[in-house]
Amino acid sequence: MMQKEFCRIISQTEIAEDIFELSVKGELVSQINAPGQFVHIRVTDRWGPLLRRPISISSFNKATKQLTMIYRKEGQGTALLAKMVPGMELDILGPLGNGFPIEEVSSGETALLVGGGIGVPPLYELSKQLAAKGCNVIHVLGFQTKSTVFYEQEFLKNGETYVATVDGTYAAKGFVTDVVDRLRFDCIFACGPTPMLKALEQHYSDKKMFLSLEERMGCGIGACFACVCKKADDPLGVSYKKVCSDGPVFRAGEVVI
Amino acid sequence: MSRLNVELPGLNLKNPIMPASGCFGFGREYSQFYDLSVLGAIMIKATTVEPRFGNPTPRVAETDAGMLNAIGLQNPGLEKVIAKELPWLSQFDVPIIANVAGSLEEDYVAVASEISKAANVHALELNISCPNVKTGGIAFGTIPEVAKQLTRKVKEVSEVPVYVKLSPNVTNIVEMAKAVEEGGADGLTMINTIVGMRLDLKTGRPILANRTGGLSGPAIKPVAIRMIYEVSQAVSLPIIGMGGVQSAEDVVEYFYAGASAVAVGTANFVDPFVCPTIIEELPPILEKLGFEHISECKGRSWKQHEPFAHYRA
């Protein structure tokens, strides 16, 4: 059950260039039911920037009632968010959406987690939970350039981790999809740019796969119909799914991406 | 005694606050936050004869103190709205204003005649002003004679009062208001969104897949206030005002301009509790301004009245 709550900021750190890790404490943490869910944040008590910002949850701890988000400072809203300091309160609506189904991978099976850029964060909680239940977890993480790489060490604790940078300034040069070809796995979980998700869906259509989509949102709760996508079994018709409330995680082949 | 109850054609409202069409779906999402019975009314999402998918994405783009949308009247179609959404809404003690949309005159007539039969639909809102559909909508909303004719046809079949939603994207909104009044409208709702556009800094192209979209939010409030100020003096129809309403003070301002009730749109996305919050905050503000009842605020911008003798700061 989602709720709207003023959550206290516990910490905020710039962990890579323009990449911030923000932890807050609140009762709504108890409502999180899967890795890959997100929260909708109001970054000001004024009316500009107007809309909330959807940000994925990168990890949470129900015992301490804390959740952590990792976001990229990019526009007006995230620039304001980046200036906030511990002790301040943040207007958060959440948890929202449906996360990754960890029950789809059994103990002993291998899960491949593929993340691109700011699509990497929600995979972290997923990685922790899969590793905890005895799955083999392999990570392939793509970034633009060396200065924007984050969480490599954290992911390494849970399993093999391959990093690729588009410009080759760190680790392998190229896209995550170049790395995936060499690996063996039972199931893919991915979050990142749409071209990356499309490439994975096309190349590994024989594999079990779950993709987390991104779309511009209005309300974040399913009321405004801003973030709809077509269902794959009715591409020309009126059938649809809402990324915010039916997703953001879908089984590959369920919707047109 | 309530300071907030308002009587309008077809609508006996416990308060003059209602979510605006397109910003509240059919109420299901917001019912997770509060009891919808606290609302004065609910303007449900536009309904067309057939289900519509709407426009490609991106469908929204933020602007300074506002947002552009080009949803394209996505809705499940008349049959489903009548079979599922309206019966679901009937569990709440709240009148429904059904937003009626279409491409052709007969579409509007078909939706109006069916949907107005539902027990909890107490009024229709004729959507002649959606800026995001290629056919219908706009012509009905910009040519006075066409709007008048459509209003007349819908009035012939509707079992409940008909409010016509006016577009701000016209040269002379008073002329439009007078035309639909002559067509037999029972009331007006205004304003719909203002056509706008945003371009992407990196590509130079429009952000919205539809290229243009409707601007809503606090940015358009002054435009709505001006238009209601003009229209309310020129016609005798009650007006449900909308455009950037976010607070109880805004509601009072809308009443001053000449509105008889107020709808809240975009602000629902920012704060899902905005409607109940406004309803709660209105009485103390009226008290502070020295009004016994909200109706005393109506038209104060242009009516003869005593100065604010008892403002309690």
Side-chain angles (χ1 to χ4, degrees):
Chain A
M1 184 70 192
M2 60 182 164
Q3 54 196 75
K4 183 174 112 61
E5 184 183 353
F6 285 92
C7 298
R8 192 164 296 279
I9 296 175
I10 303 298
S11 66
Q12 165 133 270
T13 319
E14 188 170 6
I15 55 173
E17 189 182 353
D18 286 336
I19 306 290
F20 289 77
E21 180 195 64
L22 172 63
S23 294
V24 301
K25 185 171 182 169
E27 297 300 324
L28 58 80
V29 173
S30 68
Q31 303 294 317
I32 300 172
N33 58 33
Q37 287 187 292
F38 66 100
V39 292
H40 218 22
I41 298 185
R42 190 171 175 193
V43 295
T44 168
D45 55 3
R46 312 279 306 164
W47 296 81
L50 184 68
L51 298 173
R52 288 173 180 269
R53 268 52 185 169
I55 297 182
S56 60
I57 298 165
S58 57
S59 62
F60 61 88
N61 182 335
K62 293 200 178 190
T64 61
K65 297 180 182 172
Q66 289 190 23
L67 72 83
T68 300
M69 299 158 270
I70 295 169
Y71 64 93
R72 182 168 57 215
K73 185 176 91 171
E74 203 167 7
Q76 256 181 24
T78 44
L80 277 176
L81 193 57
K83 285 187 183 151
M84 294 186 183
V85 295
M88 291 172 86
E89 286 195 326
L90 205 50
D91 179 348
I92 298 183
L93 183 61
L96 302 178
N98 302 289
F100 293 105
I102 62 163
E103 65 279 6
E104 292 283 343
V105 189
S106 309
S107 173
E109 286 188 313
T110 300
L112 179 68
L113 277 50
V114 185
I118 210 63
V120 168
L123 300 179
Y124 182 57
E125 178 67 36
L126 175 67
S127 167
K128 284 204 303 185
Q129 291 195 14
L130 288 171
K133 71 179 254 187
C135 305
N136 303 314
V137 189
I138 307 177
H139 316 97
V140 180
L141 312 175
F143 300 93
Q144 276 299 322
T145 186
K146 184 182 178 183
S147 61
T148 60
V149 176
F150 61 89
Y151 264 41
E152 186 184 7
Q153 295 308 315
E154 283 81 352
F155 278 101
L156 261 173
K157 285 176 201 157
N158 302 328
E160 282 173 57
T161 301
Y162 301 89
V163 172
T165 50
V166 176
D167 63 3
T169 47
Y170 183 76
K173 178 175 163 53
F175 294 99
V176 288
T177 39
D178 304 332
V179 182
V180 174
D181 271 339
R182 300 186 262 123
L183 304 168
R184 297 174 67 89
F185 48 87
D186 301 299
C187 180
I188 302 183
F189 296 97
C191 183
T194 305
M196 182 194 99
L197 301 180
K198 269 187 179 163
L200 289 170
E201 194 176 57
Q202 276 165 13
H203 285 89
Y204 306 99
S205 55
D206 55 324
K207 296 282 185 189
K208 193 191 274 188
M209 190 185 317
F210 297 90
L211 308 172
S212 181
L213 307 193
E214 194 174 57
E215 186 55 78
R216 280 173 183 263
M217 289 178 189
C219 66
I221 60 172
C224 77
F225 289 81
C227 64
V228 298
C229 50
K230 297 248 185 197
K231 281 181 72 179
D233 58 7
D234 184 25
L236 301 174
V238 296
S239 311
Y240 65 91
K241 290 279 177 183
K242 298 170 190 167
V243 173
C244 68
S245 56
D246 296 319
V249 176
F250 294 97
R251 186 183 284 269
E254 188 181 355
V255 297
V256 179
I257 56 173
Chain B
M1 193 198 83
S2 169
R3 292 170 186 266
L4 301 182
N5 61 309
V6 169
E7 293 264 354
L8 296 175
L11 301 165
N12 183 1
L13 309 177
K14 48 187 166 296
N15 65 68
I17 307 303
M18 61 192 82
S21 180
C23 300
F24 208 72
F26 295 92
R28 289 179 191 269
E29 293 78 16
Y30 289 91
S31 73
Q32 297 169 79
F33 293 102
Y34 60 89
D35 178 3
L36 302 185
S37 301
V38 304
L39 298 167
I42 297 175
M43 295 168 137
I44 56 172
K45 191 155 172 55
T47 300
T48 53
V49 177
E50 298 297 331
R52 279 178 63 97
F53 178 77
N55 292 321
T57 57
R59 293 175 169 189
V60 293
E62 196 176 40
T63 65
D64 286 335
M67 67 177 276
L68 292 165
N69 88 80
I71 307 297
L73 298 181
Q74 179 161 19
N75 79 92
L78 179 62
E79 204 180 302
K80 270 209 178 126
V81 171
I82 288 178
K84 284 197 170 158
E85 305 301 342
L86 289 169
W88 181 82
L89 278 162
S90 69
Q91 68 183 292
F92 302 103
D93 175 27
V94 62
I96 304 300
I97 302 175
N99 186 294
V100 174
S103 304
L104 304 167
E105 191 178 276
E106 51 260 45
D107 299 338
Y108 284 95
V109 168
V111 175
S113 73
E114 285 309 307
I115 211 164
S116 66
K117 290 179 186 141
N120 52 342
V121 170
H122 291 212
L124 301 186
E125 179 180 47
L126 204 51
N127 189 351
I128 60 167
S129 47
C130 179
N132 299 324
V133 290
K134 299 249 165 351
T135 54
I138 273 291
F140 291 114
T142 53
I143 304 168
E145 204 47 44
V146 178
K148 179 173 156 184
Q149 169 73 7
L150 181 70
T151 305
R152 185 166 285 148
K153 291 282 178 191
V154 169
K155 271 297 288 178
E156 279 171 16
V157 300
S158 177
E159 310 214 352
V160 294
V162 175
Y163 292 69
V164 180
K165 188 166 192 173
L166 298 184
S167 169
N169 306 302
V170 293
T171 315
N172 186 343
I173 197 162
V174 169
E175 196 186 3
M176 290 300 302
K178 285 181 170 167
V180 301
E181 183 174 43
E182 285 167 23
D186 298 285
L188 302 171
T189 69
M190 57 189 287
I191 57 176
N192 208 320
T193 55
I194 302 175
V195 180
M197 191 186 250
R198 264 205 71 190
L199 307 178
D200 187 286
L201 193 61
K202 289 177 195 146
T203 65
R205 297 285 184 177
I207 291 175
L208 297 175
N210 189 53
R211 300 194 296 278
T212 61
L215 180 64
S216 65
I220 73 166
K221 199 184 83 182
V223 179
I225 294 288
R226 185 268 293 180
M227 289 183 158
I228 292 167
Y229 173 82
E230 290 176 358
V231 168
S232 62
Q233 295 178 70
V235 300
S236 56
L237 300 177
I239 297 170
I240 302 174
M242 62 196 68
V245 175
Q246 38 174 311
S247 66
E249 286 86 348
D250 289 341
V251 173
V252 172
E253 195 177 344
Y254 267 82
F255 270 76
Y256 286 167
S260 298
V262 170
V264 183
T266 306
N268 287 291
F269 303 157
V270 182
D271 177 5
F273 292 100
V274 67
C275 287
T277 302
I278 289 175
I279 292 164
E280 216 169 279
E281 290 177 354
L282 257 177
I285 281 170
L286 293 175
E287 170 80 27
K288 190 170 157 184
L289 292 167
F291 297 115
E292 295 290 327
H293 193 274
I294 188 148
S295 56
E296 293 163 30
C297 305
K298 197 181 139 187
R300 260 185 114 80
S301 57
W302 50 267
K303 280 180 189 161
Q304 291 289 330
H305 60 76
E306 294 298 308
F308 287 65
H310 35 241
Y311 177 75
R312 293 189 271 275

